[in-house]
Amino acid sequence: MKYANIGGQAVMEGVMMRHKDRYAVAVRKENHEIEVKSDTHISYGKRFHVSGIPIIRGAFAFVDSLVLGMQTLTWSASFFEEEEPADAAGRKKESAAEVSGKKEEESAADSDKGFMVLTVILSLALSIGLFMVLPFFISNIFRRATDSGLLLGIIEGLVRLMIFIAYIVLISRMKDIQRLFMYHGAEHKTINCIEHGEELTPENAAKYSRFHKRCGTSFLFIVMFVSIAFFLLFFQIFPIESMVLKVVCRILMVPLIAGVSYEIIQWAGRHDSGLVCLVSKPGFWMQKFTTKEPDLEMLEVAIASIEAIYDWREFQKELAE
């Protein structure tokens, strides 16, 4: 199996696929048609000229995936918003942008960008608080029973894993999320089909695994393990008494943890050794919750997204050489 250099994510009733500086989102609308949007997105790693620097590029890639993911998810959701109320003449009310003209449209676009930035910041803050800071405070409850920094660090790591697993399991039970996870499975199956060198059709893609080594779920699971190792090592070498400093250090180490985890997931995605299988196995377990078996129509949507930006036939020629 060869690395196809393509990735993506599920969106509302659709799939986003990305290849280099191009991305496409395909959405199955309520009238059953597939709407496809393709555009260019220069990664932050390239913008800041760090895409060739290991670890640092991973921290930028993490933020990059959050921003693009939020943008494409918002775009897909726009197809399923409630209809505008009709006026007395039975016509839909015009939006503020339509009434006010071009200047207001530009203002609205700027407002959307600001809202997107705020959403990403809040998402990062919530994730860091839930998975990095909260486990630390919970583990400190056990300080009454032991003053061993090593043991408390292990307890903190176990609490972090338990919170992460509980979070994944709980959201996987939500009905709307289950459909999202079906499209997540469609994303993986189509990429697996390409990387195994088979013609990309819904029927062929359906035969392949819904699990993939470069999945975001696997990345987050690796983040959990890397954070345990980093925090244990750091606070054993640099014992800190201040609770505030302990929290600050954990927050400051998040970009480093994300960068190292990125390098691990990229390495795993390009190799097929026994060690890679061992590293990938925990992520596959979690993907049992975050991916579901898609139907053929969902696979068709994923394929539409791929074909808007990626020449999979040319890739197959390279595999055959």
Side-chain angles (χ1 to χ4, degrees):
M1 187 173 72
K2 185 178 178 182
Y3 176 62
N5 193 22
I6 185 171
Q9 71 167 52
V11 297
M12 186 174 289
E13 292 300 323
V15 175
M16 182 273 286
M17 291 290 188
R18 183 179 180 183
H19 173 61
K20 296 181 179 178
D21 294 333
R22 296 282 297 170
Y23 75 92
V25 197
V27 174
R28 177 80 68 179
K29 298 192 296 185
E30 292 181 337
N31 63 6
H32 209 64
E33 294 179 355
I34 298 176
E35 180 85 13
V36 180
K37 170 190 175 184
S38 60
D39 205 345
T40 301
H41 178 82
I42 307 299
S43 69
Y44 293 118
K46 281 190 176 181
R47 294 179 193 182
F48 293 97
H49 309 289
V50 297
S51 56
I53 305 175
I55 300 179
I56 293 177
R57 64 188 175 191
F60 279 84
F62 177 59
V63 176
D64 198 57
S65 65
L66 278 177
V67 173
L68 183 58
M70 198 69 69
Q71 287 176 348
T72 54
L73 190 61
T74 301
W75 183 79
S76 68
S78 68
F79 290 99
F80 305 98
E81 294 173 351
E82 292 185 6
E83 296 254 340
E84 294 280 344
D87 60 17
R91 295 170 299 183
K92 291 183 180 179
K93 293 180 179 179
E94 291 183 323
S95 67
E98 290 172 330
V99 172
S100 303
K102 185 176 180 180
K103 185 175 181 180
E104 283 72 13
E105 286 179 4
E106 292 174 353
S107 177
D110 290 339
S111 178
D112 287 344
K113 288 180 181 178
F115 177 75
M116 194 68 64
V117 170
L118 180 61
T119 302
V120 170
I121 291 173
L122 290 176
S123 299
L124 277 171
L126 180 61
S127 299
I128 292 171
L130 183 61
F131 299 119
M132 295 297 172
V133 179
L134 180 61
F136 166 67
F137 285 111
I138 293 176
S139 68
N140 266 273
I141 297 173
F142 296 89
R143 191 173 290 277
R144 301 170 186 173
T146 178
D147 59 356
S148 169
L150 179 61
L151 183 57
L152 288 171
I154 293 172
I155 292 172
E156 179 187 347
L158 292 175
V159 170
R160 182 174 296 110
L161 281 174
M162 289 170 62
I163 291 175
F164 177 69
I165 293 171
Y167 173 79
I168 294 295
V169 171
L170 286 174
I171 66 170
S172 70
R173 295 179 179 274
M174 298 170 62
K175 185 176 180 181
D176 290 342
I177 296 297
Q178 287 177 358
R179 281 196 64 81
L180 186 74
F181 286 172
M182 289 173 75
Y183 278 103
H184 191 191
E187 175 215 335
H188 287 177
K189 280 176 172 282
T190 49
I191 293 175
N192 279 326
C193 182
I194 291 172
E195 294 186 334
H196 281 85
E198 191 160 0
E199 183 181 0
L200 188 58
T201 66
E203 292 76 16
N204 285 342
K207 298 183 295 185
Y208 287 93
S209 172
R210 72 177 198 264
F211 309 138
H212 199 282
K213 290 183 290 187
R214 298 193 310 276
C215 173
T217 305
S218 294
F219 169 77
L220 291 175
F221 208 68
I222 289 173
V223 165
M224 297 298 113
F225 281 103
V226 171
S227 66
I228 293 172
F230 272 46
F231 292 160
L232 280 174
L233 183 62
F234 181 84
F235 290 106
Q236 285 298 305
I237 297 174
F238 305 103
I240 298 173
E241 295 300 324
S242 169
M243 292 282 286
V244 174
L245 272 179
K246 286 180 179 180
V247 172
V248 170
C249 287
R250 280 165 171 78
I251 294 173
L252 292 178
M253 289 173 69
V254 168
L256 177 62
I257 291 168
V260 171
S261 301
Y262 173 85
E263 298 301 331
I264 293 173
I265 202 79
Q266 290 296 311
W267 164 77
R270 288 177 166 86
H271 298 85
D272 284 306
S273 65
L275 178 59
V276 167
C277 291
L278 183 64
V279 170
S280 302
K281 188 67 72 176
F284 285 174
W285 292 337
M286 294 310 301
Q287 286 180 49
K288 290 181 180 180
F289 295 102
T290 62
T291 64
K292 303 294 181 184
E293 286 294 331
D295 57 34
L296 293 180
E297 288 192 343
M298 291 176 173
L299 290 167
E300 185 182 359
V301 172
I303 290 171
S305 179
I306 289 175
E307 291 186 330
I309 57 163
Y310 191 79
D311 189 348
W312 57 268
R313 293 178 179 83
E314 185 63 31
F315 176 76
Q316 288 185 340
K317 289 179 183 178
E318 295 175 8
L319 284 180
E321 291 177 355

